[in-house]
Amino acid sequence: MTINFGKMKRGRSTNKSGMYFLNNNYEVLYIDCMGECKQRKEVGEYFVNSGTKRIKLESIGEVGNVIHVPKYRTKCKVCEGSYFSNWQRKSTKRAEYQKNWNDDNADHLIAVRHNARAKKLDLLATLTADIVKEIREEQQGRCILSGLEEELEFEHAVPVANGGGSTFENCYFINPYLNATKGNKNIFEWAKEQYNFIQRRFYNILVPMMAERNGMTPKEYEAFVYNQYNKDEKGIS
């Protein structure tokens, strides 16, 4: 004998769980699937969540106190498989769209991210997607120091932590390894630790480029960078 258990509440909604059918021992035998198939199936066709559902017997017209039944899923295994396959396809499609959007708007994202860092410290933050693109094109898509076409990271000559803003005058592209070794070091002190090839490109290409952007000579630019670090050490803003 089965008992029409009725719709079991799930949270605040009464239409998300199918009909449960029990025998005289209050064991669930069948459940109406709420998935696409809408069929009544044996409990073996459903996955089970952890825990149990507490039901008052009087609510189903039976004598007694309370019974506990397993928390079966609302969809059968077939419908759940179809649901998650569709969900996975949609998720993959969304991920592909997001990746394509990020790739198409890489310069915009760089500008937004680095401007946000500078604004937190009340520093100049004037980067735009066009400015980032201009810097990239000026370097012809190459690392300014290695000269190679490789993965690049956006770098501040004077780090934000040391008072360098996110501006055209303070930024360039560099490969991840060199960027990681530089950290927040004074760029001129850091250059002394590099191979001769990197040092030559530093003094012959990077320093003149940054000096020109700032309307200085290379010597004036070097003094400017050291002054930024001296101010930081003395706590001068």
Side-chain angles (χ1 to χ4, degrees), residues 141-175:
R142 299 172 182 269
C143 171
I144 193 69
L145 293 178
S146 72
L148 300 176
E149 291 185 15
E150 53 190 334
E151 181 183 355
L152 299 175
E153 292 183 352
F154 202 64
E155 167 67 347
H156 296 70
V158 178
V160 171
N162 297 94
S166 292
T167 64
F168 173 75
E169 293 79 10
N170 191 43
C171 295
Y172 54 90
F173 281 98
I174 191 173
N175 75 47

mmCIF file of all heavy atoms in Angstrom, residues 141-175:
data_model
loop_
_atom_site.group_PDB
_atom_site.id
_atom_site.type_symbol
_atom_site.label_atom_id
_atom_site.label_comp_id
_atom_site.label_asym_id
_atom_site.label_seq_id
_atom_site.Cartn_x
_atom_site.Cartn_y
_atom_site.Cartn_z
ATOM 1 N N GLY A 141 55.117 45.594 -28.971
ATOM 2 C CA GLY A 141 54.717 44.329 -28.367
ATOM 3 C C GLY A 141 55.860 43.538 -27.772
ATOM 4 O O GLY A 141 55.734 42.336 -27.531
ATOM 5 N N ARG A 142 56.989 44.197 -27.523
ATOM 6 C CA ARG A 142 58.172 43.514 -26.980
ATOM 7 C C ARG A 142 58.487 44.012 -25.574
ATOM 8 O O ARG A 142 58.133 45.137 -25.208
ATOM 9 C CB ARG A 142 59.391 43.757 -27.873
ATOM 10 C CG ARG A 142 59.241 43.236 -29.297
ATOM 11 C CD ARG A 142 60.405 43.690 -30.157
ATOM 12 N NE ARG A 142 60.260 43.247 -31.537
ATOM 13 C CZ ARG A 142 60.740 42.099 -32.007
ATOM 14 N NH1 ARG A 142 61.415 41.289 -31.190
ATOM 15 N NH2 ARG A 142 60.570 41.762 -33.265
ATOM 16 N N CYS A 143 59.177 43.172 -24.820
ATOM 17 C CA CYS A 143 59.685 43.600 -23.520
ATOM 18 C C CYS A 143 60.712 44.703 -23.752
ATOM 19 O O CYS A 143 61.611 44.554 -24.588
ATOM 20 C CB CYS A 143 60.312 42.420 -22.780
ATOM 21 S SG CYS A 143 61.204 42.888 -21.274
ATOM 22 N N ILE A 144 60.604 45.791 -23.014
ATOM 23 C CA ILE A 144 61.482 46.938 -23.227
ATOM 24 C C ILE A 144 62.941 46.613 -22.914
ATOM 25 O O ILE A 144 63.856 47.231 -23.466
ATOM 26 C CB ILE A 144 61.012 48.143 -22.375
ATOM 27 C CG1 ILE A 144 61.703 49.438 -22.803
ATOM 28 C CG2 ILE A 144 61.224 47.870 -20.898
ATOM 29 C CD1 ILE A 144 61.290 49.930 -24.147
ATOM 30 N N LEU A 145 63.173 45.595 -22.072
ATOM 31 C CA LEU A 145 64.545 45.281 -21.671
ATOM 32 C C LEU A 145 65.113 44.038 -22.350
ATOM 33 O O LEU A 145 66.288 44.011 -22.702
ATOM 34 C CB LEU A 145 64.624 45.116 -20.149
ATOM 35 C CG LEU A 145 64.374 46.404 -19.354
ATOM 36 C CD1 LEU A 145 64.431 46.134 -17.865
ATOM 37 C CD2 LEU A 145 65.392 47.473 -19.735
ATOM 38 N N SER A 146 64.301 43.013 -22.538
ATOM 39 C CA SER A 146 64.823 41.816 -23.218
ATOM 40 C C SER A 146 64.740 41.960 -24.729
ATOM 41 O O SER A 146 65.487 41.315 -25.466
ATOM 42 C CB SER A 146 64.050 40.572 -22.780
ATOM 43 O OG SER A 146 62.743 40.569 -23.336
ATOM 44 N N GLY A 147 63.811 42.799 -25.198
ATOM 45 C CA GLY A 147 63.631 42.992 -26.633
ATOM 46 C C GLY A 147 62.895 41.851 -27.307
ATOM 47 O O GLY A 147 62.800 41.811 -28.533
ATOM 48 N N LEU A 148 62.344 40.921 -26.525
ATOM 49 C CA LEU A 148 61.689 39.745 -27.088
ATOM 50 C C LEU A 148 60.173 39.899 -27.096
ATOM 51 O O LEU A 148 59.596 40.567 -26.234
ATOM 52 C CB LEU A 148 62.066 38.499 -26.281
ATOM 53 C CG LEU A 148 63.556 38.153 -26.219
ATOM 54 C CD1 LEU A 148 63.775 36.948 -25.310
ATOM 55 C CD2 LEU A 148 64.111 37.878 -27.616
ATOM 56 N N GLU A 149 59.547 39.262 -28.084
ATOM 57 C CA GLU A 149 58.087 39.170 -28.098
ATOM 58 C C GLU A 149 57.695 38.024 -27.179
ATOM 59 O O GLU A 149 57.892 36.862 -27.507
ATOM 60 C CB GLU A 149 57.575 38.914 -29.518
ATOM 61 C CG GLU A 149 57.763 40.083 -30.463
ATOM 62 C CD GLU A 149 57.133 39.818 -31.818
ATOM 63 O OE1 GLU A 149 56.334 38.872 -31.917
ATOM 64 O OE2 GLU A 149 57.455 40.552 -32.767
ATOM 65 N N GLU A 150 57.182 38.346 -26.028
ATOM 66 C CA GLU A 150 56.853 37.339 -25.027
ATOM 67 C C GLU A 150 55.711 37.851 -24.172
ATOM 68 O O GLU A 150 55.187 38.941 -24.397
ATOM 69 C CB GLU A 150 58.083 37.042 -24.155
ATOM 70 C CG GLU A 150 58.702 38.293 -23.539
ATOM 71 C CD GLU A 150 60.038 38.025 -22.874
ATOM 72 O OE1 GLU A 150 60.268 36.889 -22.448
ATOM 73 O OE2 GLU A 150 60.850 38.964 -22.773
ATOM 74 N N GLU A 151 55.334 37.050 -23.196
ATOM 75 C CA GLU A 151 54.303 37.497 -22.264
ATOM 76 C C GLU A 151 54.793 38.752 -21.551
ATOM 77 O O GLU A 151 55.935 38.822 -21.108
ATOM 78 C CB GLU A 151 54.015 36.392 -21.241
ATOM 79 C CG GLU A 151 52.935 36.759 -20.239
ATOM 80 C CD GLU A 151 52.725 35.679 -19.193
ATOM 81 O OE1 GLU A 151 53.360 34.607 -19.314
ATOM 82 O OE2 GLU A 151 51.942 35.917 -18.259
ATOM 83 N N LEU A 152 53.911 39.742 -21.452
ATOM 84 C CA LEU A 152 54.315 41.022 -20.878
ATOM 85 C C LEU A 152 53.443 41.391 -19.683
ATOM 86 O O LEU A 152 52.280 41.009 -19.608
ATOM 87 C CB LEU A 152 54.217 42.131 -21.935
ATOM 88 C CG LEU A 152 55.103 41.976 -23.173
ATOM 89 C CD1 LEU A 152 54.797 43.081 -24.169
ATOM 90 C CD2 LEU A 152 56.574 41.988 -22.793
ATOM 91 N N GLU A 153 54.037 42.149 -18.768
ATOM 92 C CA GLU A 153 53.301 42.698 -17.637
ATOM 93 C C GLU A 153 53.496 44.207 -17.609
ATOM 94 O O GLU A 153 54.542 44.716 -18.004
ATOM 95 C CB GLU A 153 53.775 42.069 -16.320
ATOM 96 C CG GLU A 153 53.406 40.601 -16.191
ATOM 97 C CD GLU A 153 53.825 40.002 -14.858
ATOM 98 O OE1 GLU A 153 54.541 40.693 -14.084
ATOM 99 O OE2 GLU A 153 53.449 38.850 -14.591
ATOM 100 N N PHE A 154 52.477 44.898 -17.137
ATOM 101 C CA PHE A 154 52.513 46.356 -17.067
ATOM 102 C C PHE A 154 53.253 46.759 -15.799
ATOM 103 O O PHE A 154 52.948 46.284 -14.713
ATOM 104 C CB PHE A 154 51.083 46.887 -17.046
ATOM 105 C CG PHE A 154 50.953 48.310 -17.493
ATOM 106 C CD1 PHE A 154 51.269 48.673 -18.785
ATOM 107 C CD2 PHE A 154 50.493 49.283 -16.618
ATOM 108 C CE1 PHE A 154 51.128 49.985 -19.213
ATOM 109 C CE2 PHE A 154 50.349 50.592 -17.033
ATOM 110 C CZ PHE A 154 50.668 50.946 -18.333
ATOM 111 N N GLU A 155 54.225 47.622 -15.937
ATOM 112 C CA GLU A 155 55.118 47.941 -14.827
ATOM 113 C C GLU A 155 55.239 49.448 -14.621
ATOM 114 O O GLU A 155 55.148 50.231 -15.564
ATOM 115 C CB GLU A 155 56.505 47.326 -15.103
ATOM 116 C CG GLU A 155 57.634 47.806 -14.232
ATOM 117 C CD GLU A 155 57.499 47.394 -12.774
ATOM 118 O OE1 GLU A 155 56.417 46.936 -12.373
ATOM 119 O OE2 GLU A 155 58.468 47.557 -12.030
ATOM 120 N N HIS A 156 55.430 49.838 -13.358
ATOM 121 C CA HIS A 156 55.683 51.231 -13.004
ATOM 122 C C HIS A 156 57.181 51.421 -12.774
ATOM 123 O O HIS A 156 57.792 50.653 -12.027
ATOM 124 C CB HIS A 156 54.939 51.611 -11.718
ATOM 125 C CG HIS A 156 53.446 51.556 -11.846
ATOM 126 N ND1 HIS A 156 52.750 50.376 -11.963
ATOM 127 C CD2 HIS A 156 52.521 52.555 -11.864
ATOM 128 C CE1 HIS A 156 51.457 50.641 -12.046
ATOM 129 N NE2 HIS A 156 51.282 51.947 -11.990
ATOM 130 N N ALA A 157 57.757 52.427 -13.382
ATOM 131 C CA ALA A 157 59.178 52.710 -13.160
ATOM 132 C C ALA A 157 59.407 53.034 -11.684
ATOM 133 O O ALA A 157 60.277 52.469 -11.030
ATOM 134 C CB ALA A 157 59.632 53.864 -14.044
ATOM 135 N N VAL A 158 58.627 53.979 -11.171
ATOM 136 C CA VAL A 158 58.592 54.242 -9.729
ATOM 137 C C VAL A 158 57.334 53.562 -9.205
ATOM 138 O O VAL A 158 56.224 53.933 -9.591
ATOM 139 C CB VAL A 158 58.547 55.753 -9.412
ATOM 140 C CG1 VAL A 158 58.465 55.977 -7.904
ATOM 141 C CG2 VAL A 158 59.763 56.455 -10.001
ATOM 142 N N PRO A 159 57.462 52.540 -8.375
ATOM 143 C CA PRO A 159 56.295 51.782 -7.927
ATOM 144 C C PRO A 159 55.255 52.658 -7.237
ATOM 145 O O PRO A 159 55.581 53.702 -6.653
ATOM 146 C CB PRO A 159 56.892 50.766 -6.941
ATOM 147 C CG PRO A 159 58.325 50.650 -7.331
ATOM 148 C CD PRO A 159 58.723 52.013 -7.817
ATOM 149 N N VAL A 160 54.022 52.217 -7.306
ATOM 150 C CA VAL A 160 52.932 52.924 -6.625
ATOM 151 C C VAL A 160 53.240 53.045 -5.134
ATOM 152 O O VAL A 160 52.973 54.070 -4.507
ATOM 153 C CB VAL A 160 51.596 52.179 -6.853
ATOM 154 C CG1 VAL A 160 50.495 52.766 -5.981
ATOM 155 C CG2 VAL A 160 51.200 52.244 -8.327
ATOM 156 N N ALA A 161 53.822 52.000 -4.573
ATOM 157 C CA ALA A 161 54.144 52.008 -3.142
ATOM 158 C C ALA A 161 55.159 53.087 -2.781
ATOM 159 O O ALA A 161 55.263 53.488 -1.619
ATOM 160 C CB ALA A 161 54.676 50.641 -2.716
ATOM 161 N N ASN A 162 55.900 53.565 -3.775
ATOM 162 C CA ASN A 162 56.914 54.597 -3.532
ATOM 163 C C ASN A 162 56.525 55.939 -4.138
ATOM 164 O O ASN A 162 57.386 56.793 -4.371
ATOM 165 C CB ASN A 162 58.262 54.150 -4.087
ATOM 166 C CG ASN A 162 58.790 52.914 -3.387
ATOM 167 O OD1 ASN A 162 58.582 51.796 -3.853
ATOM 168 N ND2 ASN A 162 59.443 53.092 -2.251
ATOM 169 N N GLY A 163 55.246 56.110 -4.408
ATOM 170 C CA GLY A 163 54.763 57.405 -4.874
ATOM 171 C C GLY A 163 54.666 57.571 -6.369
ATOM 172 O O GLY A 163 54.397 58.669 -6.861
ATOM 173 N N GLY A 164 54.877 56.500 -7.129
ATOM 174 C CA GLY A 164 54.761 56.591 -8.583
ATOM 175 C C GLY A 164 53.323 56.413 -9.024
ATOM 176 O O GLY A 164 52.660 55.450 -8.637
ATOM 177 N N GLY A 165 52.817 57.322 -9.810
ATOM 178 C CA GLY A 165 51.431 57.242 -10.250
ATOM 179 C C GLY A 165 51.246 56.295 -11.419
ATOM 180 O O GLY A 165 52.207 55.787 -12.004
ATOM 181 N N SER A 166 49.987 56.050 -11.738
ATOM 182 C CA SER A 166 49.649 55.236 -12.912
ATOM 183 C C SER A 166 49.425 56.189 -14.079
ATOM 184 O O SER A 166 48.309 56.618 -14.358
ATOM 185 C CB SER A 166 48.395 54.398 -12.633
ATOM 186 O OG SER A 166 48.663 53.409 -11.669
ATOM 187 N N THR A 167 50.528 56.522 -14.748
ATOM 188 C CA THR A 167 50.498 57.515 -15.818
ATOM 189 C C THR A 167 51.347 57.048 -16.995
ATOM 190 O O THR A 167 52.165 56.127 -16.865
ATOM 191 C CB THR A 167 51.054 58.865 -15.320
ATOM 192 O OG1 THR A 167 52.442 58.688 -14.977
ATOM 193 C CG2 THR A 167 50.294 59.362 -14.101
ATOM 194 N N PHE A 168 51.168 57.714 -18.115
ATOM 195 C CA PHE A 168 51.972 57.431 -19.304
ATOM 196 C C PHE A 168 53.450 57.655 -19.012
ATOM 197 O O PHE A 168 54.318 56.939 -19.507
ATOM 198 C CB PHE A 168 51.516 58.343 -20.449
ATOM 199 C CG PHE A 168 52.372 58.267 -21.678
ATOM 200 C CD1 PHE A 168 52.303 57.172 -22.529
ATOM 201 C CD2 PHE A 168 53.251 59.300 -21.991
ATOM 202 C CE1 PHE A 168 53.102 57.098 -23.669
ATOM 203 C CE2 PHE A 168 54.042 59.236 -23.127
ATOM 204 C CZ PHE A 168 53.962 58.134 -23.967
ATOM 205 N N GLU A 169 53.740 58.654 -18.176
ATOM 206 C CA GLU A 169 55.126 59.025 -17.885
ATOM 207 C C GLU A 169 55.834 58.031 -16.973
ATOM 208 O O GLU A 169 57.048 58.109 -16.793
ATOM 209 C CB GLU A 169 55.163 60.413 -17.228
ATOM 210 C CG GLU A 169 54.734 61.556 -18.135
ATOM 211 C CD GLU A 169 53.217 61.663 -18.275
ATOM 212 O OE1 GLU A 169 52.496 60.977 -17.514
ATOM 213 O OE2 GLU A 169 52.759 62.432 -19.148
ATOM 214 N N ASN A 170 55.090 57.082 -16.389
ATOM 215 C CA ASN A 170 55.701 56.217 -15.378
ATOM 216 C C ASN A 170 55.566 54.728 -15.685
ATOM 217 O O ASN A 170 55.976 53.904 -14.870
ATOM 218 C CB ASN A 170 55.064 56.510 -14.004
ATOM 219 C CG ASN A 170 55.809 55.856 -12.859
ATOM 220 O OD1 ASN A 170 57.040 55.882 -12.817
ATOM 221 N ND2 ASN A 170 55.073 55.244 -11.941
ATOM 222 N N CYS A 171 55.024 54.380 -16.847
ATOM 223 C CA CYS A 171 54.709 52.968 -17.080
ATOM 224 C C CYS A 171 55.283 52.439 -18.392
ATOM 225 O O CYS A 171 55.503 53.192 -19.345
ATOM 226 C CB CYS A 171 53.191 52.770 -17.073
ATOM 227 S SG CYS A 171 52.426 53.112 -15.471
ATOM 228 N N TYR A 172 55.490 51.140 -18.424
ATOM 229 C CA TYR A 172 55.988 50.449 -19.611
ATOM 230 C C TYR A 172 55.684 48.962 -19.451
ATOM 231 O O TYR A 172 55.221 48.516 -18.394
ATOM 232 C CB TYR A 172 57.500 50.674 -19.780
ATOM 233 C CG TYR A 172 58.306 50.296 -18.563
ATOM 234 C CD1 TYR A 172 58.808 49.007 -18.403
ATOM 235 C CD2 TYR A 172 58.558 51.232 -17.552
ATOM 236 C CE1 TYR A 172 59.532 48.659 -17.277
ATOM 237 C CE2 TYR A 172 59.278 50.886 -16.426
ATOM 238 C CZ TYR A 172 59.764 49.595 -16.293
ATOM 239 O OH TYR A 172 60.468 49.252 -15.172
ATOM 240 N N PHE A 173 55.960 48.179 -20.491
ATOM 241 C CA PHE A 173 55.747 46.731 -20.441
ATOM 242 C C PHE A 173 57.085 46.009 -20.282
ATOM 243 O O PHE A 173 58.091 46.391 -20.886
ATOM 244 C CB PHE A 173 55.063 46.237 -21.723
ATOM 245 C CG PHE A 173 53.589 46.490 -21.752
ATOM 246 C CD1 PHE A 173 53.075 47.589 -22.425
ATOM 247 C CD2 PHE A 173 52.707 45.633 -21.110
ATOM 248 C CE1 PHE A 173 51.715 47.831 -22.461
ATOM 249 C CE2 PHE A 173 51.347 45.858 -21.135
ATOM 250 C CZ PHE A 173 50.842 46.959 -21.816
ATOM 251 N N ILE A 174 57.061 44.962 -19.468
ATOM 252 C CA ILE A 174 58.271 44.199 -19.181
ATOM 253 C C ILE A 174 57.869 42.739 -19.000
ATOM 254 O O ILE A 174 56.706 42.436 -18.704
ATOM 255 C CB ILE A 174 58.942 44.763 -17.902
ATOM 256 C CG1 ILE A 174 60.349 44.201 -17.703
ATOM 257 C CG2 ILE A 174 58.089 44.490 -16.692
ATOM 258 C CD1 ILE A 174 61.087 44.868 -16.545
ATOM 259 N N ASN A 175 58.814 41.819 -19.170
ATOM 260 C CA ASN A 175 58.435 40.413 -19.016
ATOM 261 C C ASN A 175 58.262 40.056 -17.536
ATOM 262 O O ASN A 175 58.823 40.720 -16.656
ATOM 263 C CB ASN A 175 59.428 39.478 -19.725
ATOM 264 C CG ASN A 175 60.749 39.318 -18.991
ATOM 265 O OD1 ASN A 175 60.803 39.093 -17.788
ATOM 266 N ND2 ASN A 175 61.841 39.419 -19.727
#
